[in-house]
Amino acid sequence: LLRDIHPTAFSGQREPGVPLTLRFDYNLLTTLPQLPDFPEALTYLNIAINKISYLSREEVEQFVNLNELIIAHNPILLLPDLLSLLPSLTSLNIDGLNFSCCGVQWLAHLQLKLGNGLSYVGTICSEPQLLVNQPCMNAARVNTRCPG
């Protein structure tokens, strides 16, 4: 099981211009892999069922050509606005997440863009208190700003 992926682990391992597909599901990763040599080539990333608790804007925005992202069943507490960060996204799987639903209106817009390409089975809110244990899409359809 992988606990970490060195940023240069795949250096020199692919042909330029060829789309890249990476599967790191069912591991023990705690952060999103950083791939400085070819983030623009990545079109598919599966990091489901790991130990990732946080995705930052900086980690996500490097993958500008990402079409499919699978982050299901991770202990992610907060999601950045994936709609604005990943303009090429056509499929997103966030099944089983329990994250903060503060300011997630972008998720409703993403659902409109992706349609059936968005999977959120069992995804619930951890905050605000009013929405705890409610489906995340309930929060995405209303203005759920949190204090602080």
Side-chain angles (χ1 to χ4, degrees), residues 23-46:
R23 289 191 60 168
F24 296 118
D25 51 328
Y26 294 95
N27 279 291
L28 300 172
L29 298 176
T30 57
T31 60
L32 190 65
Q34 297 300 300
L35 306 167
D37 291 339
F38 44 82
E40 71 289 340
L42 191 63
T43 59
Y44 174 95
L45 178 61
N46 184 342

mmCIF file of all heavy atoms in Angstrom, residues 23-46:
data_model
loop_
_atom_site.group_PDB
_atom_site.id
_atom_site.type_symbol
_atom_site.label_atom_id
_atom_site.label_comp_id
_atom_site.label_asym_id
_atom_site.label_seq_id
_atom_site.Cartn_x
_atom_site.Cartn_y
_atom_site.Cartn_z
ATOM 1 N N ARG A 23 -4.099 5.656 -11.361
ATOM 2 C CA ARG A 23 -4.979 5.049 -10.367
ATOM 3 C C ARG A 23 -4.170 4.803 -9.101
ATOM 4 O O ARG A 23 -3.233 4.011 -9.108
ATOM 5 C CB ARG A 23 -5.541 3.734 -10.872
ATOM 6 C CG ARG A 23 -6.554 3.892 -11.972
ATOM 7 C CD ARG A 23 -7.250 2.607 -12.233
ATOM 8 N NE ARG A 23 -7.922 2.192 -10.997
ATOM 9 C CZ ARG A 23 -8.804 1.229 -10.937
ATOM 10 N NH1 ARG A 23 -9.128 0.576 -12.024
ATOM 11 N NH2 ARG A 23 -9.370 0.900 -9.799
ATOM 12 N N PHE A 24 -4.567 5.484 -8.040
ATOM 13 C CA PHE A 24 -3.952 5.289 -6.731
ATOM 14 C C PHE A 24 -5.007 4.914 -5.698
ATOM 15 O O PHE A 24 -4.854 5.169 -4.512
ATOM 16 C CB PHE A 24 -3.223 6.564 -6.285
ATOM 17 C CG PHE A 24 -2.067 6.952 -7.164
ATOM 18 C CD1 PHE A 24 -2.076 8.156 -7.852
ATOM 19 C CD2 PHE A 24 -0.981 6.121 -7.313
ATOM 20 C CE1 PHE A 24 -1.016 8.525 -8.665
ATOM 21 C CE2 PHE A 24 0.089 6.474 -8.131
ATOM 22 C CZ PHE A 24 0.071 7.682 -8.801
ATOM 23 N N ASP A 25 -6.114 4.332 -6.151
ATOM 24 C CA ASP A 25 -7.176 3.953 -5.234
ATOM 25 C C ASP A 25 -6.733 2.784 -4.344
ATOM 26 O O ASP A 25 -5.800 2.061 -4.666
ATOM 27 C CB ASP A 25 -8.467 3.621 -5.986
ATOM 28 C CG ASP A 25 -8.288 2.623 -7.124
ATOM 29 O OD1 ASP A 25 -7.224 2.615 -7.757
ATOM 30 O OD2 ASP A 25 -9.232 1.859 -7.376
ATOM 31 N N TYR A 26 -7.403 2.652 -3.200
ATOM 32 C CA TYR A 26 -7.136 1.588 -2.225
ATOM 33 C C TYR A 26 -5.706 1.643 -1.698
ATOM 34 O O TYR A 26 -4.988 0.645 -1.689
ATOM 35 C CB TYR A 26 -7.421 0.203 -2.821
ATOM 36 C CG TYR A 26 -8.874 -0.015 -3.128
ATOM 37 C CD1 TYR A 26 -9.377 0.218 -4.406
ATOM 38 C CD2 TYR A 26 -9.749 -0.452 -2.145
ATOM 39 C CE1 TYR A 26 -10.711 0.025 -4.703
ATOM 40 C CE2 TYR A 26 -11.089 -0.661 -2.422
ATOM 41 C CZ TYR A 26 -11.566 -0.412 -3.703
ATOM 42 O OH TYR A 26 -12.893 -0.603 -3.986
ATOM 43 N N ASN A 27 -5.288 2.828 -1.256
ATOM 44 C CA ASN A 27 -3.971 2.995 -0.663
ATOM 45 C C ASN A 27 -4.102 3.750 0.649
ATOM 46 O O ASN A 27 -5.204 3.861 1.203
ATOM 47 C CB ASN A 27 -3.033 3.716 -1.636
ATOM 48 C CG ASN A 27 -2.458 2.775 -2.662
ATOM 49 O OD1 ASN A 27 -1.647 1.921 -2.342
ATOM 50 N ND2 ASN A 27 -2.887 2.915 -3.911
ATOM 51 N N LEU A 28 -3.000 4.288 1.129
ATOM 52 C CA LEU A 28 -2.979 5.028 2.383
ATOM 53 C C LEU A 28 -2.478 6.458 2.174
ATOM 54 O O LEU A 28 -1.896 7.053 3.082
ATOM 55 C CB LEU A 28 -2.096 4.302 3.420
ATOM 56 C CG LEU A 28 -2.541 2.889 3.788
ATOM 57 C CD1 LEU A 28 -1.506 2.206 4.661
ATOM 58 C CD2 LEU A 28 -3.898 2.910 4.484
ATOM 59 N N LEU A 29 -2.701 7.019 0.988
ATOM 60 C CA LEU A 29 -2.254 8.378 0.699
ATOM 61 C C LEU A 29 -2.986 9.372 1.597
ATOM 62 O O LEU A 29 -4.181 9.232 1.838
ATOM 63 C CB LEU A 29 -2.517 8.728 -0.760
ATOM 64 C CG LEU A 29 -1.813 7.883 -1.815
ATOM 65 C CD1 LEU A 29 -2.263 8.297 -3.204
ATOM 66 C CD2 LEU A 29 -0.309 8.011 -1.670
ATOM 67 N N THR A 30 -2.262 10.382 2.054
ATOM 68 C CA THR A 30 -2.869 11.417 2.895
ATOM 69 C C THR A 30 -2.944 12.765 2.172
ATOM 70 O O THR A 30 -3.587 13.683 2.666
ATOM 71 C CB THR A 30 -2.085 11.594 4.203
ATOM 72 O OG1 THR A 30 -0.729 11.899 3.895
ATOM 73 C CG2 THR A 30 -2.155 10.331 5.058
ATOM 74 N N THR A 31 -2.292 12.872 1.024
ATOM 75 C CA THR A 31 -2.332 14.097 0.225
ATOM 76 C C THR A 31 -2.481 13.740 -1.246
ATOM 77 O O THR A 31 -2.167 12.625 -1.668
ATOM 78 C CB THR A 31 -1.051 14.952 0.387
ATOM 79 O OG1 THR A 31 0.074 14.178 -0.040
ATOM 80 C CG2 THR A 31 -0.868 15.411 1.821
ATOM 81 N N LEU A 32 -2.936 14.708 -2.001
ATOM 82 C CA LEU A 32 -3.050 14.547 -3.441
ATOM 83 C C LEU A 32 -1.644 14.462 -4.036
ATOM 84 O O LEU A 32 -0.781 15.267 -3.687
ATOM 85 C CB LEU A 32 -3.796 15.750 -4.023
ATOM 86 C CG LEU A 32 -4.237 15.697 -5.463
ATOM 87 C CD1 LEU A 32 -5.270 14.605 -5.675
ATOM 88 C CD2 LEU A 32 -4.820 17.035 -5.859
ATOM 89 N N PRO A 33 -1.372 13.500 -4.923
ATOM 90 C CA PRO A 33 -0.036 13.407 -5.511
ATOM 91 C C PRO A 33 0.339 14.668 -6.278
ATOM 92 O O PRO A 33 -0.478 15.221 -7.012
ATOM 93 C CB PRO A 33 -0.144 12.225 -6.472
ATOM 94 C CG PRO A 33 -1.343 11.468 -6.042
ATOM 95 C CD PRO A 33 -2.268 12.461 -5.400
ATOM 96 N N GLN A 34 1.547 15.139 -6.091
ATOM 97 C CA GLN A 34 2.076 16.280 -6.839
ATOM 98 C C GLN A 34 2.907 15.737 -7.990
ATOM 99 O O GLN A 34 3.818 14.947 -7.774
ATOM 100 C CB GLN A 34 2.944 17.169 -5.937
ATOM 101 C CG GLN A 34 2.163 17.783 -4.792
ATOM 102 C CD GLN A 34 1.034 18.662 -5.288
ATOM 103 O OE1 GLN A 34 1.255 19.634 -5.994
ATOM 104 N NE2 GLN A 34 -0.187 18.312 -4.937
ATOM 105 N N LEU A 35 2.576 16.136 -9.202
ATOM 106 C CA LEU A 35 3.234 15.623 -10.398
ATOM 107 C C LEU A 35 3.790 16.780 -11.213
ATOM 108 O O LEU A 35 3.271 17.114 -12.273
ATOM 109 C CB LEU A 35 2.238 14.798 -11.217
ATOM 110 C CG LEU A 35 1.539 13.683 -10.435
ATOM 111 C CD1 LEU A 35 0.365 13.141 -11.219
ATOM 112 C CD2 LEU A 35 2.512 12.593 -10.074
ATOM 113 N N PRO A 36 4.858 17.413 -10.737
ATOM 114 C CA PRO A 36 5.350 18.634 -11.374
ATOM 115 C C PRO A 36 5.841 18.465 -12.802
ATOM 116 O O PRO A 36 5.887 19.427 -13.554
ATOM 117 C CB PRO A 36 6.480 19.084 -10.456
ATOM 118 C CG PRO A 36 6.941 17.843 -9.780
ATOM 119 C CD PRO A 36 5.718 16.987 -9.626
ATOM 120 N N ASP A 37 6.193 17.254 -13.209
ATOM 121 C CA ASP A 37 6.730 17.062 -14.550
ATOM 122 C C ASP A 37 5.669 17.019 -15.644
ATOM 123 O O ASP A 37 5.961 17.243 -16.800
ATOM 124 C CB ASP A 37 7.560 15.778 -14.615
ATOM 125 C CG ASP A 37 8.841 15.898 -13.809
ATOM 126 O OD1 ASP A 37 9.271 17.038 -13.551
ATOM 127 O OD2 ASP A 37 9.400 14.861 -13.428
ATOM 128 N N PHE A 38 4.430 16.715 -15.273
ATOM 129 C CA PHE A 38 3.410 16.624 -16.314
ATOM 130 C C PHE A 38 1.974 16.768 -15.801
ATOM 131 O O PHE A 38 1.111 15.972 -16.160
ATOM 132 C CB PHE A 38 3.533 15.308 -17.078
ATOM 133 C CG PHE A 38 3.748 14.102 -16.198
ATOM 134 C CD1 PHE A 38 2.689 13.471 -15.564
ATOM 135 C CD2 PHE A 38 5.015 13.613 -16.016
ATOM 136 C CE1 PHE A 38 2.897 12.361 -14.764
ATOM 137 C CE2 PHE A 38 5.223 12.501 -15.218
ATOM 138 C CZ PHE A 38 4.179 11.871 -14.597
ATOM 139 N N PRO A 39 1.682 17.792 -14.992
ATOM 140 C CA PRO A 39 0.302 17.928 -14.512
ATOM 141 C C PRO A 39 -0.704 18.183 -15.640
ATOM 142 O O PRO A 39 -1.846 17.749 -15.564
ATOM 143 C CB PRO A 39 0.367 19.114 -13.556
ATOM 144 C CG PRO A 39 1.549 19.901 -13.994
ATOM 145 C CD PRO A 39 2.531 18.881 -14.530
ATOM 146 N N GLU A 40 -0.257 18.855 -16.706
ATOM 147 C CA GLU A 40 -1.169 19.159 -17.809
ATOM 148 C C GLU A 40 -1.537 17.927 -18.625
ATOM 149 O O GLU A 40 -2.511 17.940 -19.366
ATOM 150 C CB GLU A 40 -0.572 20.238 -18.722
ATOM 151 C CG GLU A 40 0.598 19.786 -19.569
ATOM 152 C CD GLU A 40 1.909 19.526 -18.821
ATOM 153 O OE1 GLU A 40 2.085 20.020 -17.698
ATOM 154 O OE2 GLU A 40 2.773 18.825 -19.380
ATOM 155 N N ALA A 41 -0.784 16.828 -18.499
ATOM 156 C CA ALA A 41 -1.067 15.606 -19.252
ATOM 157 C C ALA A 41 -2.102 14.715 -18.566
ATOM 158 O O ALA A 41 -2.687 13.849 -19.194
ATOM 159 C CB ALA A 41 0.225 14.811 -19.450
ATOM 160 N N LEU A 42 -2.323 14.941 -17.289
ATOM 161 C CA LEU A 42 -3.220 14.077 -16.529
ATOM 162 C C LEU A 42 -4.671 14.319 -16.928
ATOM 163 O O LEU A 42 -5.196 15.418 -16.807
ATOM 164 C CB LEU A 42 -3.042 14.326 -15.024
ATOM 165 C CG LEU A 42 -3.719 13.338 -14.093
ATOM 166 C CD1 LEU A 42 -3.143 11.937 -14.282
ATOM 167 C CD2 LEU A 42 -3.555 13.772 -12.654
ATOM 168 N N THR A 43 -5.341 13.262 -17.407
ATOM 169 C CA THR A 43 -6.747 13.364 -17.798
ATOM 170 C C THR A 43 -7.649 12.520 -16.894
ATOM 171 O O THR A 43 -8.860 12.738 -16.878
ATOM 172 C CB THR A 43 -6.955 12.929 -19.260
ATOM 173 O OG1 THR A 43 -6.509 11.592 -19.426
ATOM 174 C CG2 THR A 43 -6.208 13.864 -20.204
ATOM 175 N N TYR A 44 -7.091 11.566 -16.169
ATOM 176 C CA TYR A 44 -7.870 10.685 -15.290
ATOM 177 C C TYR A 44 -7.080 10.457 -14.010
ATOM 178 O O TYR A 44 -5.912 10.095 -14.060
ATOM 179 C CB TYR A 44 -8.120 9.341 -15.993
ATOM 180 C CG TYR A 44 -8.787 8.290 -15.126
ATOM 181 C CD1 TYR A 44 -10.168 8.116 -15.149
ATOM 182 C CD2 TYR A 44 -8.035 7.473 -14.297
ATOM 183 C CE1 TYR A 44 -10.775 7.152 -14.366
ATOM 184 C CE2 TYR A 44 -8.642 6.514 -13.501
ATOM 185 C CZ TYR A 44 -10.010 6.347 -13.534
ATOM 186 O OH TYR A 44 -10.615 5.392 -12.752
ATOM 187 N N LEU A 45 -7.735 10.698 -12.857
ATOM 188 C CA LEU A 45 -7.080 10.471 -11.571
ATOM 189 C C LEU A 45 -8.066 9.809 -10.622
ATOM 190 O O LEU A 45 -9.141 10.337 -10.355
ATOM 191 C CB LEU A 45 -6.577 11.780 -10.964
ATOM 192 C CG LEU A 45 -5.904 11.685 -9.587
ATOM 193 C CD1 LEU A 45 -4.656 10.804 -9.646
ATOM 194 C CD2 LEU A 45 -5.558 13.072 -9.061
ATOM 195 N N ASN A 46 -7.679 8.637 -10.131
ATOM 196 C CA ASN A 46 -8.492 7.910 -9.156
ATOM 197 C C ASN A 46 -7.699 7.807 -7.863
ATOM 198 O O ASN A 46 -6.686 7.110 -7.805
ATOM 199 C CB ASN A 46 -8.843 6.519 -9.682
ATOM 200 C CG ASN A 46 -9.764 5.758 -8.747
ATOM 201 O OD1 ASN A 46 -9.895 6.085 -7.566
ATOM 202 N ND2 ASN A 46 -10.396 4.726 -9.266
#
